[in-house]
Structures are given as structure tokens and as C-alpha cells.
């Protein structure tokens, strides 16, 4: 039943004929085309759909449109004073402040955040931080750590205006995101933001069982009941290989299960039809017969002698083992006079909880298929989709949508196989948008880890032996399990030079959801172990915990556990030096606080902890090249063709900054084509913290190549200082060298040259390819797995309620050696976001297979959970890096949980090693310490 509903939207009258119970969010997006209002959960948990209704913020997904009848509805599209903003000057002060502060990363939460802030500022033009917490508390952000959002709201309240564009070198400047405008206006098209004409939708039918066999009965009656059901996809419809996966030897995940499922949430059918039909079909009317089987719920069950084996290629359910061995740990164990420490760590599944669920659409174009999808890895998606469809890779085009957060979770295929297969078979565009429960059931997770580690040090404090073993629950399919198993042993010692090391790992299959890539590939779990050991050793040795880390820190000239000689850019000592004063001051303050609290009978106790990290940039011992192109056309327009997908981390801005300096033009002179596999060369995955270092080098080489070509045409020799200037205007390039007349090149007279983009007609094209120098690891894990490493250390100040077990992180100080901060605002944003996710890992995040379904019972940090954060950027330039840069995306997260756990220990004497440190665990640990001491 429909009815006519009248309302005002962004100041204009609107009349729609809809079901009165239809969600306002759907009416805005689907009926009115206002896709600036995003949907992250459809349950009022994430706040991405926040709009203003008669002035007050509300989740549009919870409001039936009838309830908004006669109301004044404001969306992000109505925020700017002009209808179609094209620049800073067209924006509202709040939007400008978000851009200036770097408050929008991926941008999926930004419209909701802006509307909540708009509401707040109208009621309270100069809000305090606590009032901002209240005002924005209903909107979740998974990227920014909220600090820059708070900063932006405060700046907007003060209306400080925009800073002028940088005039000097682009590298090192705080250039606002080059793709920021569309994020603060709601114009960025995320995976669910396009609805092609004539489209069908596909919905996966998923297993309610962790392990089962199934049969599908007669689908005829279902088709008769639902004439709009165009197709029911089964495993038999998969045209190519019904097994995909990251590694050539690990292609084990079916697009549609064929008779048996290995985890809850695995897809078995794809229902294809018009939207209303597919919505109307309930799982209960499907002719599926299930035979549930005993499932392996955890690693103990998977390793039991009588456990069933999930895959032929994983005997005893062990997918892969990792190993690094150096020196003789057994000899160290037998050595008298050493001080030793030992720890057991257990972590759980962690959900990426990006605010944008998996989404996209596919269309068949002749004998090719085009996918518009949310992805971190377009070329890998292209190849995997081709495999599933039985096509050549060049028959598949991946057009990345704006990505509403990835963190590793969008490195695996998601909607791709079903939308592509359905579009291929029907010849019509096919769209899929995963629901939040579907995303939580079917997307990969952070690996739960069970780690035992031991370390020994001389009485002087030299760590001389380290033994580590970690088991990782890799779930039902391989995904990125091999990467975790191989990366962890390399990093197991932490950022310390230890001569005798044995580090081993196993990735173990269970009937849990696949565990894959998640910001750090297992290194954050390992860091909890090595940092607990360092704290324990320091206490036993009577050496300050920061100084013990400094003494053992890997530095230039050190050899790592894999035998790699670190030649340069190893800034951990500098990071620790930068933290030293605050370390002493915060601990002294905590001691004073605790003394006063004890006097007053308060249950609150404060503590300060430290965590240190290192992280190899790029793939482990594997080629991972990037290629970038920069074209100059007849109109003197420079176009950067970058396949380095921006998932919110700022890759697009970084590539533009680097290319601009390499070429010698202003960033504003460069237009960007990003990520389309038909238009950009392969720049690899946006993962492993590799884009700044690897693709950044490619962008630098491409810019330099184009500059060289231009200068050669002008017969100008560049100096090392790059004194020659390039001016581009009116179809001409004007090259000026000191003390010589300018030379003008008429670009229209040059013939067009080829580029990866078949539609491009540059007259000059610079091309750069960079592949980090690595070597394979031998059987003992010896070799050079990465060309460079990031280093960092963080301090955490926490307040523990020793009666309730609650932990409040009060302050974080983060020192990170990033080589060179290409864009300090973005580097800080990455550090803030990493700390937020590290805080979640430490204190609250736990995904329980089969139980966790939404963002209501899966807790991630809100704005009110975030502490003050001080960032200290250490620039120990990497000689091989673009302008010295390395990477910071994953490094920012790694030391946070260890620092917080160390701080809890400092405050209470209780060492939490089973994560997350929920109040019940904290209380139990405090009681255990009290009992042991009584
Ligand atoms: Fe907030 Fe990505 S910027 S979720």
C-alpha cells in the first residue's frame, strides 16, 4: 500500500508516493537520489544515515517516511550554501573545517558526522569537548580516531577559515585531501551509491550452520510464487573455477558452496531478480535440506586427533607453518645467570567494522564484464573474478567505488562472484549490497591468536634469547592466513636485536569464518606478547622499561632475526628519546594521582604503559611492484593515472603530492584518474602499508620521467637541485632555467603517445615502476623480507576503576618513524585511527562466530572513548623511499594495545593477556593479584 507523503527536503517541497513505512533513508537515497545519506547498519547503531529532522539529528534508517510527513529534513546535500559546490569557497564553514583538519578519511561517516555537528553547533555555537562527545556520540567512525573531527568542530565554531594552498614543495605540506570535496558534500560514490537503469539485485542465501551438508530441492514452485525471480544461482552456474583465494596454492573458497558448507554465513544460492521480489523471498520458503555436522569451533577441536579435515591441502587442519630461526635458543635456555620472562597471550576474532558494508554492481558489456565495487585491490579482484567467470583477466574491468573503510577486509572477493555471474548470465546490470549481519557473517576477520613466548636477558639488560610460538585460527578458508603465518615470525621479537631466536607459527583451519588481512597481519597480536615480555624483563632486571627497549632497539647496523642488516632509517631510538620526558612525567603524575586517590579511598588508579613496534613495508619476501603514469596532454593538463586505491588513508593525495614535486608543478595542476583497471596500470594492493613507499616511488619515477622528457624537448639540463621551472598554460609548457631565456613548447604540435588508459591522448607520458628489493626466506626464515621497516613507540595513560574493572584511556603519546611525512595531517590521521583500533583491540572488541551480528553487540570505540593523542613524527629518512617516506597505516595500530595493557599493569599490578581486557577480566586479574599477595 502506498500513500503520498509531503515533506520539505533541504528547503524545497517534495512529494513522494511510497509505502508510508518505508525508511526515510531509503526514500532519500533511492527515490530522491540523495545518496549523501549513507547506510551502514540499517539499525540505528552506526549513525551514518544521520540527517536533521526539524532541526534535530536523527538516524534516517529508523524513521518511517510517514513520520517525517510535513517535516523539514536536512541532508548533507543541503549543507553548503550553493547547490553544487566545486571548491572550498562554495562550502559551509563546517565542511571547510573538516577538509582542513583532515576529519574525513574514507568519508562514509562524514555526512552523518557533519549533520550531527551541524545540529550541535546550531544549539551550542562554541561547544566544549564533552559537549562534542555528546553531540557526535551517535555517529561511529572507524577511520579517524575522532580527534580530527573534534578539532574540525572546534575550528568551525571558531570559524578560522581556510588556509591558503601550499606554495612551496608539496611533499611535507598539509595539503587537504585531493578527493576531499566529494566526501564533505556527500557526492563521493560508494559501492551502494549507484543504481544502474534496468538493474536486478542478487541476494546470497547463507548457511545458518557452521558445518553442514545440504541439498537443494525443486525450485519450480519458488519461481511460480515469485515471477520476478529471474535466476537462482547455484554452484552449477559458476562458469569458471568455483574456488578462489589469494594464493595460487590456496584457492579453496567457493563462490557458492557445492553440497557442503564450512562456516556459518557461507553462500549457497544467489537469488536474482527485481528488488521487491528478492526482498519478499524469505529463507524459510527455500527448498533447502540441511544436514548439520559437528563443527570445529576452535583450534583445540581442529587439532584433536579425531578432528575432521577441512581441506585436502591442509593435513591435520594446519594450513601453513611459519618459522624464523637464528642462533641457538636452546643453548641460551641452558645458560645460567640469565633473567627470563614468559607469557601466554590469547586474542579473539576482531571484526573490521568498516562503516560501509560490501557493495557494488556489475554489467556485461559485450564479451566483457565491468564491476563497480568497494575494493582495496582492483587488479587482484580482476584476476579472481575472471577465474570464477572463466574469462581472461582482460575481459574483466574493475572500477573501484569510493571505499568506506577497508583495513584489510576488502582485500578478499565479496559481492564480486555473484554480481558478475548474474550479470553475465542475464545480460542486465546486477547489484548487491550486503546487510550488516551478512557482512559480519561472511567477511574475513582478524585471526584469533594463541601465543606462548619466552625471552632471556643478561643482568645488564641485553636480550639474548627469544622463543615464540603462535597458533592462529584461520577459519574455514585460506584467505590471507599464509601471510599472517609468514609475517608474524619475522616480527615476533619486536623491534629488538636478539641474536638467538626461534619463532614458529601455524595457521589452523576451523569451521569459523575465514580470518584474513586486518591492519597488521598478525603483528599486533604478536606485539602483545613481546611487549609484555619486555615489561616483565625490565621489572625483573630493575631497569626502566623504556630504557630496556632503547638498549635493545634495532638501529642502523643491527641484524634482525632473519639476518637482515638494517642499513638506515631505523628510528626507534629516536622515537624512544622523544617519549622519554613524557614517560617520566606521566608516571610521576600517575603516582601522585594514586597517592591522593588512596588517601581519599577512591577506587581509581592510574598507570602508564609503553609499547614499541616495527613493521616491514610491503609484501613479505615477494615481488609487489607498482606502476604509475603521468600524462601531459595538448591542453597542458597533467593527469596522474594511479591504481593505488585510496581507502581513506590518503593514497590519492600522497601520489599527487609526490608526482607534483617530481614533475615540478603545483598539486592543483594535476588531475587524478584513480584505480580503474582499464585506465590505470597495476599499483598493487592498498595493504601492507605499502602504497606510500612502493606506489609513491612509482609516482616519483613517473613524475621525474615526464619532467626529463619535457626538459629534453626544451634542451634544458636539470640540475640536482631541480632549478628549472615548468609552467603549464594555454597548451604550452614553458621551461625556465636560471640565467637563460624561457623555452616554450607548443604541446599541440606533439604527436599523441600511448597510455594504459585507451581513452587518453597524452603527448608526453611519464611512467614509473617500483618493486621493493627483497630476497626469499630460506627454511630457517633467513633473508631480507622487506626493503624497509617502520618503527614507533606509544605511551598510554589509563585510569582503572578497581571496583568496576573499567578502563579509561586518558592520553596517548605516539612517536612514529615514518621516514618522511609526505602529508603530516594524513600521517597524524593514520596514527589517530590506528590508536582507535588498537584501543578497541585492547579493551572491547570481540567477534563471536555465530553470535555477533551487528554494531549493537560488537562494540567499537566511540568519540567518547578516545583519549587525547599527541603525535610526534620522527623523520629518519629512508634512502630508498620517495623523498625518504616509508608507511604508517598499520604501524600506528601495533603498539597501542601493548601500551594500554602495560598501563593497566602499572596501575593495578594485573597483567591482562587474554583480550579484550573487559571489566570482568580486569577485575578477575586484580583479584588474582590481591589473592596472590595476601
Ligand atoms: Fe569515518 Fe571512514 S572517515 S568511517
Amino acid at each position: 500500500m502506498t500513500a503520498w507523503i509531503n515533506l520539505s527536503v533541504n528547503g524545497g517541497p517534495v512529494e513522494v508516493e511510497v509505502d508510508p513505512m518505508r525508511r526515510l533513508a531509503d526514500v532519500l537515497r533511492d527515490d530522491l537520489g540523495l545518496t549523501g545519506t549513507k547506510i551502514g547498519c540499517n539499525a540505528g547503531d552506526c549513525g551514518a544515515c544521520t540527517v536533521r529532522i526539524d532541526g534535530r539529528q536523527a538516524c534516517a534508517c529508523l524513521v518511517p517516511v510517514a513520520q517525517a510527513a510535513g517535516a523539514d529534513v536536512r541532508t548533507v546535500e543541503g549543507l553548503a550554501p550553493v547547490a553544487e559546490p566545486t571548491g572550498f569557497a562554495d562550502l559551509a564553514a563546517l565542511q571547510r573545517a573538516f577538509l582542513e583538519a583532515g576529519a574525513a578519511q574514507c568519508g562514509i561517516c562524514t555526512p552523518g558526522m557533519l549533520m550531527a555537528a551541524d545540529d550541535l553547533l546550531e544549539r551550542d555555537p562554541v561547544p566544549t569537548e564533552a559537549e562534542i562527545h555528546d553531540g557526535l556520540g551517535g555517529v561511529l567512525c572507524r577511520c579517524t580516531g575522532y580527534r580530527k573531527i573534534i578539532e574540525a568542530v572546534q575550528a568551525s565554531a571558531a570559524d578560522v577559515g581556510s588556509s591558503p594552498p601550499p606554495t612551496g614543495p608539496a611533499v611535507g605540506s598539509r595539503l587537504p585531501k585531493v578527493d576531499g570535496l566529494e566526501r564533505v558534500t556527500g557526492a563521493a560514490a560508494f559501492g551502494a551509491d549507484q543504481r544502474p537503469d534496468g538493474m536486478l539485485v542478487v541476494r546470497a542465501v547463507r548457511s545458518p550452520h557452521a558445518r553442514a551438508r545440504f541439498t537443494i530441492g525443486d525450485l519450480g514452485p519458488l519461481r511460480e510464487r515469485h515471477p520476478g525471480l529471474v535466476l537462482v544461482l547455484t554452484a552449477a552456474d559458476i562458469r569458471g573455477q568455483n574456488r578462489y583465494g589469494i594464493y595460487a596454492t590456496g584457492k579453496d573458497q567457493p563462490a557458492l558452496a557445492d553440497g557442503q558448507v564450512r562456516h556459518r554465513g557461507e553462500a549457497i544460492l544467489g537469488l536474482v531478480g527485481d528488488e521487491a521480489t528478492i526482498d519478499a523471498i524469505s529463507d524459510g520458503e527455500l527448498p533447502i535440506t540441511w544436514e548439520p555436522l559437528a563443527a570445529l569451533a576452535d583450534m583445540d577441536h581442529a587439532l584433536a586427533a579425531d578432528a575432521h579435515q577441512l581441506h585436502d591441502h591442509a593435513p591435520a587442519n594446519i594450513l601453513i607453518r611459519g618459522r624464523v630461526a637464528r642462533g641457538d635458543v636452546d643453548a641460551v635456555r641452558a645458560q645460567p645467570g640469565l633473567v627470563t620472562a614468559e607469557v601466554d597471550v590469547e586474542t579473539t576474532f576482531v571484526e573490521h567494522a568498516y562503516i560501509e558494508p560490501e557493495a557494488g554492481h556489475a554489467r556485461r558489456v559485450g564479451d566483457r564484464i565491468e564491476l563497480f565495487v568497494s575494493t582495496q585491490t582492483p587488479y587482484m579482484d580482476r584476476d579472481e573474478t575472471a577465474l570464477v567467470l572463466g574469462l581472461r583477466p582482460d575481459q574483466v574491468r574493475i572500477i573501484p567505488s569510493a571505499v568506506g573503510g577497508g583495513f584489510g577486509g576488502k582485500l578478499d572477493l565479496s559481492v564480486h562472484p555473484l554480481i558478475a555471474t548474474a550479470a553475465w548470465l542475464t545480460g542486465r546490470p546486477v547489484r548487491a549490497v550486503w546487510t550488516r549481519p551478512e557482512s559480519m557473517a561472511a567477511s574475513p576477520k582478524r585471526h584469533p591468536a594463541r601465543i606462548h613466548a619466552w625471552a632471556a636477558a643478561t643482568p645488564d639488560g641485553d636480550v639474548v634469547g627469544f622463543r615464540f610460538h603462535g597458533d592462529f585460527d584461520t577459519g574455514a578458508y585460506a584467505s590471507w592466513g599464509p601471510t599472517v603465518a609468514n609475517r608474524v615470525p619475522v616480527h615476533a621479537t619486536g623491534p629488538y636485536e636478539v641474536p638467538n631466536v626461534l619463532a614458529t607459527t601455524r595457521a589452523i583451519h576451523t569451521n569459523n569464518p575465514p580470518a584474513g588481512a586486518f591492519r597488521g597481519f598478525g603483528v599486533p597480536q604478536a606485539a602483545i606478547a613481546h611487549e609484555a615480555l619486555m615489561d616483565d624483563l625490565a621489572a625483573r632486571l630493575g631497569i626502566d622499561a623504556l630504557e630496556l627497549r632503547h638498549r635493545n632497539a634495532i638501529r642502523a647496523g643491527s641484524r634482525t632475526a632473519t639476518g637482515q642488516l638494517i642499513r638506515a632509517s631505523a628510528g626507534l631510538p629516536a622515537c624512544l628519546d622523544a617519549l622519554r620526558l613524557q614517560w617520566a612525567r606521566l608516571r610521576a603524575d600517575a603516582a601522585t594521582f594514586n597517592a591522593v586517590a588512596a588517601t581519599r579511598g577512591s577506587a581509581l588508579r592510574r598507570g602508564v604503559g609503553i609499547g614499541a613496534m616495527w613493521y616491514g613495508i610491503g609484501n613479505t619476501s615477494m615481488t609487489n611492484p607498482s606502476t604509475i603514469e603521468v600524462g601531459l596532454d595538448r591542453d597542458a593538463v597533467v593527469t596522474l593515472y594511479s591504481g593505488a586505491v585510496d581507502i581513506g588513508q590518503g593514497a590519492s593525495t600522497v601520489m599527487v603530492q609526490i608526482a607534483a614535486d617530481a614533475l615540478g608543478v603545483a598539486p592543483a595542476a594535476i588531475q587524478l584518474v584513480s584505480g580503474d583497471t582499464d585506465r590505470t596500470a597495476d599499483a598493487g594492493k592498498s595493504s601492507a602499508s605499502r602504497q606510500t613507499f612502493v606506489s609513491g616511488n612509482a609516482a616519483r619515477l613517473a613524475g621525474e620521467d615526464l619532467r626529463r622528457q619535457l626538459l629534453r624537448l626544451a634542451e634544458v639540463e636539470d640540475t640536482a637541485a631541480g632549478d628549472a621551472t615548468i609552467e603549464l598554460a594555454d597548451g604550452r609548457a614553458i621551461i625556465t632555467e636560471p640565467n637563460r631565456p624561457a623555452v616554450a613548447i607548443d604541446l599541440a604540435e606533439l604527436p599523441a603517445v600511448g597510455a594504459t588508459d585507451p581513452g587518453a591522448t597524452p603527448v608526453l607520458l611519464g611512467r614509473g615502476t617500483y618493486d621493493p628489493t627483497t630476497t626469499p626466506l630460506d627454511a630457517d626464515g633467513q633473508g631480507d623480507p622487506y626493503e624497509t621497516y617502520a618503527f614507533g613507540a606509544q605511551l598510554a595513560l589509563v585510569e582503572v576503576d578497581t571496583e568496576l574493572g573499567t578502563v579509561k584511556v586518558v592520553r596517548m603519546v605516539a612517536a612514529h618513524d615514518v621516514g618522511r611525512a609526505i602529508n603530516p595531517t594524513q600521517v597524524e590521521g593514520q596514527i589517530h585511527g590506528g590508536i582507535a583500533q588498537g584501543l578497541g583491540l585492547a579493551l572491547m572488541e570481540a567477534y563471536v562466530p555465530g553470535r555477533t551480528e551487528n554494531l549493537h553487540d560488537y562494540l567499537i570505540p566511540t568519540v567518547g572513548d578516545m583519549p587525547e593523542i599527541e603525535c610526534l613524527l620522527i623523520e629518519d629518512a629512508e634512502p630508498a623511499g620517495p623523498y625518504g617516506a616509508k608507511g604508517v597505516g598499520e604501524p600506528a595500530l601495533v603498539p597501542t594495545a601493548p601500551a594500554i595493557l602495560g598501563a593497566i599493569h602499572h596501575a593495578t599490578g594485573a597483567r591482562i593477556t587474554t583480550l579484550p581486557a573487559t571489566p570482568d577480566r580486569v577485575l578477575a586479574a586484580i583479584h588474582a593479584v590481591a589473592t596472590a599477595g595476601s
Side-chain angles (χ1 to χ4, degrees):
M1 190 196 75
T2 61
W4 284 98
I5 308 278
N6 291 288
L7 61 163
S8 163
V9 178
N10 296 327
V14 166
E15 193 178 29
V16 285
E17 186 186 12
V18 290
D19 177 348
M21 295 308 290
R22 191 163 155 77
R23 297 166 191 264
L24 176 61
D26 293 335
V27 172
L28 291 170
R29 289 174 55 80
D30 300 345
D31 301 346
L32 302 178
L34 296 172
T35 53
T37 297
K38 307 302 178 188
I39 295 179
C41 67
N42 249 339
D45 295 323
C46 75
C49 63
T50 298
V51 297
R52 297 185 65 187
I53 301 176
D54 288 335
R56 301 307 294 251
Q57 59 174 292
C59 282
C61 76
L62 294 182
V63 178
V65 65
Q67 204 171 304
D72 175 32
V73 176
R74 300 272 165 175
T75 71
V76 70
E77 287 91 346
L79 206 51
V82 303
E84 288 184 12
T86 57
F88 259 64
D90 297 338
L91 298 173
L94 182 60
Q95 291 168 306
R96 285 201 302 273
F98 264 59
L99 280 183
E100 284 280 333
Q105 287 190 19
C106 82
I108 191 80
C109 73
T110 306
M113 205 63 89
L114 285 166
M115 298 317 291
D118 192 46
D119 172 28
L120 168 69
L121 289 170
E122 197 170 287
R123 286 183 284 117
D124 187 350
V126 190
T128 63
E129 181 159 336
E131 288 163 342
I132 294 173
H133 288 184
D134 282 348
L136 306 188
V139 188
L140 294 176
C141 176
R142 192 56 159 165
C143 300
T144 64
Y146 303 100
R147 294 309 314 178
K148 289 192 178 291
I149 293 173
I150 295 169
E151 194 184 309
V153 173
Q154 289 169 332
S156 170
D159 199 11
V160 293
S162 310
S163 48
T167 50
V171 167
S173 75
R174 292 181 179 269
L175 184 73
K177 280 175 82 76
V178 297
D179 51 1
L181 187 78
E182 54 263 40
R183 277 158 180 77
V184 298
T185 58
F190 291 86
D193 287 344
Q194 293 186 357
R195 300 171 61 82
D197 289 343
M199 73 171 196
L200 300 171
V201 300
V202 57
R203 187 182 100 212
V205 176
R206 299 184 179 278
S207 169
H209 306 289
R211 182 175 170 238
R213 277 191 277 271
F214 66 93
T215 53
I216 299 165
D218 182 8
L219 291 164
L222 184 73
R223 293 178 196 278
E224 279 171 25
R225 277 198 304 279
H226 300 282
L229 180 62
V230 174
L231 198 62
V232 180
L233 297 175
T234 69
D237 294 306
I238 300 302
R239 301 179 68 253
Q241 181 176 311
N242 193 15
R243 290 282 181 276
Y244 65 86
I246 308 306
Y247 289 88
T249 54
K251 298 202 182 298
D252 58 2
Q253 190 160 0
L256 286 170
D258 190 3
Q260 66 165 316
V261 291
R262 297 180 178 84
H263 72 92
R264 185 179 177 275
E266 187 162 358
I268 65 163
L269 292 176
L271 305 177
V272 185
D274 65 75
E275 221 165 358
T277 298
I278 300 305
D279 281 351
I281 297 174
S282 70
D283 281 8
E285 61 180 309
L286 301 171
I288 304 166
T289 305
W290 292 101
E291 181 193 346
L293 301 168
L296 305 176
D298 55 34
M299 291 189 281
D300 285 336
H301 286 92
L303 294 171
D306 60 349
H308 72 272
Q309 189 172 308
L310 270 82
H311 300 285
D312 292 344
H313 62 259
N317 292 320
I318 298 172
L319 167 66
I320 194 169
R321 295 170 192 266
R323 174 184 159 90
V324 166
R326 182 167 179 79
D328 188 343
V329 174
D330 288 338
V332 175
R333 274 185 183 276
Q335 201 175 312
L338 297 179
V339 175
T340 65
E342 218 159 339
V343 70
D344 288 290
V345 167
E346 195 161 344
T347 70
T348 184
F349 280 108
V350 180
E351 165 70 26
H352 295 88
Y354 21 72
I355 303 301
E356 180 206 28
E358 295 75 357
H361 63 81
R363 71 171 81 230
R364 183 173 180 171
V365 182
D367 68 347
R368 299 187 77 213
I369 190 94
E370 293 183 356
L371 285 81
F372 173 83
V373 282
S374 184
T375 178
Q376 298 179 234
T377 177
Y379 269 86
M380 192 180 280
D381 282 5
R382 182 197 68 167
D383 296 353
E384 289 293 287
T385 304
L387 189 78
V388 173
L389 263 69
L391 300 175
R392 297 187 315 273
D394 66 358
Q395 288 178 277
V396 179
R397 177 182 186 183
I398 302 290
I399 306 167
S401 68
V403 180
F407 320 116
K410 291 174 181 167
L411 289 167
D412 293 66
L413 293 187
S414 59
V415 297
H416 316 52
L418 296 194
I419 59 173
T421 302
W424 188 268
L425 293 175
T426 63
R428 290 173 64 181
V430 178
R431 177 176 184 259
V433 179
W434 282 7
T435 63
R436 179 59 59 178
E438 193 174 14
S439 174
M440 287 214 158
S443 68
K445 316 288 173 224
R446 182 184 292 287
H447 285 70
R450 209 164 48 188
I451 295 168
H452 179 78
W454 169 93
T458 65
D460 290 340
D462 292 330
V463 181
V464 292
F466 190 91
R467 176 74 176 97
F468 175 104
H469 177 75
D471 282 339
F472 291 81
D473 182 348
T474 205
Y477 296 107
S479 181
W480 293 86
T483 311
V484 169
N486 288 325
R487 184 177 274 267
V488 167
V490 172
H491 292 82
T493 59
Y496 311 112
E497 186 171 15
V498 186
N500 302 285
V501 176
L502 177 57
T504 52
T505 53
R506 298 185 296 185
I508 296 166
H509 279 304
T510 63
N511 289 115
N512 286 321
F518 191 163
R519 209 167 186 174
F521 288 110
V523 175
Q525 296 96 307
I528 292 161
H530 63 65
E531 291 307 275
L533 289 180
M534 291 304 281
D535 282 350
D536 199 3
L537 283 177
R540 289 167 192 263
L541 289 160
I543 297 176
D544 177 87
L546 182 147
E547 299 306 335
L548 184 70
R549 286 167 169 86
H550 199 290
R551 181 184 183 97
N552 290 281
I554 289 174
R555 58 198 78 211
S558 295
R559 280 209 183 266
T560 70
T562 72
Q564 182 173 3
L565 175 64
I566 301 294
R567 293 191 162 80
S569 191
L572 181 57
C575 292
L576 293 167
D577 289 340
L579 293 174
R580 191 177 271 118
L581 271 180
Q582 300 223 47
W583 170 246
R585 186 175 62 73
L586 289 174
R587 282 172 87 92
D589 289 350
T592 306
F593 179 95
N594 292 341
V596 173
T599 314
R600 293 180 178 164
S602 164
L604 299 180
R605 292 292 181 275
R606 285 191 168 188
V608 183
I610 182 169
M613 60 70 59
W614 68 321
Y615 197 79
I617 301 297
N619 294 3
T620 309
S621 285
M622 258 193 261
T623 180
N624 60 127
S626 282
T627 297
I628 301 261
E629 294 173 332
V630 187
L632 177 63
D633 70 18
R634 288 183 178 169
D635 297 326
V637 173
V638 180
T639 304
L640 175 67
Y641 299 92
S642 169
V645 178
D646 196 316
I647 57 173
Q649 86 282 38
S652 291
T653 309
V654 163
M655 296 309 136
V656 167
Q657 287 181 267
I658 290 173
D661 279 6
L663 174 57
V665 301
I670 296 181
Q671 64 177 31
L672 178 71
V673 171
S674 175
D676 181 335
T677 56
D678 268 15
R679 303 186 66 193
T680 64
D682 187 358
K685 307 172 293 295
S686 287
S687 78
S689 300
R690 62 180 290 285
Q691 290 297 18
T692 296
F693 180 68
V694 184
S695 297
N697 261 324
R700 175 182 60 82
L701 292 168
E704 289 172 353
D705 184 22
L706 179 54
R707 178 179 176 87
R708 233 180 346 262
Q709 293 177 45
L710 268 172
L711 267 52
R712 197 179 307 133
L713 280 175
E715 297 181 347
V716 166
E717 276 214 13
D718 212 0
T719 64
D723 287 341
T725 61
I726 298 173
E727 226 180 298
L728 301 168
D730 303 328
R732 296 193 313 164
I734 300 161
I735 317 295
T736 310
E737 202 184 8
N739 308 319
R740 275 188 57 183
V743 180
I745 301 167
D746 189 349
L747 297 170
E749 289 183 358
L750 301 177
V753 296
T756 298
D757 182 357
T761 54
V763 291
L764 293 171
L765 185 82
R767 203 159 205 270
T769 296
Y770 192 78
D771 193 3
T773 304
T774 63
T775 65
L777 298 179
D778 66 16
D780 280 333
Q782 297 298 294
D784 295 353
Y786 310 102
E787 185 165 10
T788 188
Y789 295 82
F791 293 86
Q794 295 178 4
L795 305 181
L797 168 65
V798 306
E799 190 170 287
V800 183
D801 186 319
T802 56
E803 284 175 356
L804 299 176
T806 52
V807 178
K808 170 80 185 158
V809 183
V810 178
R811 181 173 169 78
M812 297 288 304
V813 188
H816 282 268
D817 167 24
V818 299
R820 176 82 189 274
I822 301 291
N823 186 318
T825 299
Q826 292 194 166
V827 172
E828 290 160 2
Q830 287 301 296
I831 293 173
H832 292 178
I835 286 174
Q837 291 186 3
L839 188 153
L841 173 69
L843 298 180
M844 64 184 79
E845 297 191 35
Y847 173 91
V848 183
R851 292 229 308 268
T852 309
E853 291 209 321
N854 53 50
L855 292 169
H856 188 67
D857 50 29
Y858 186 83
L859 300 180
I860 64 173
T862 67
V863 63
D865 293 313
M866 289 307 294
E868 292 173 15
I869 300 174
E870 182 180 352
C871 295
L872 305 168
L873 304 188
I874 305 300
E875 295 185 304
D876 188 346
E878 164 55 55
Y883 302 96
K886 299 193 279 192
V888 73
E890 288 157 301
L893 180 150
V894 177
T896 306
I900 291 172
L901 297 170
I904 296 171
H905 179 253
H906 183 230
T908 65
R911 169 67 66 183
I912 313 287
T913 54
T914 299
L915 268 59
T918 45
D920 55 319
R921 285 187 175 138
V922 173
L923 268 191
I926 291 171
H927 288 152
V929 170
T931 306
S934 60

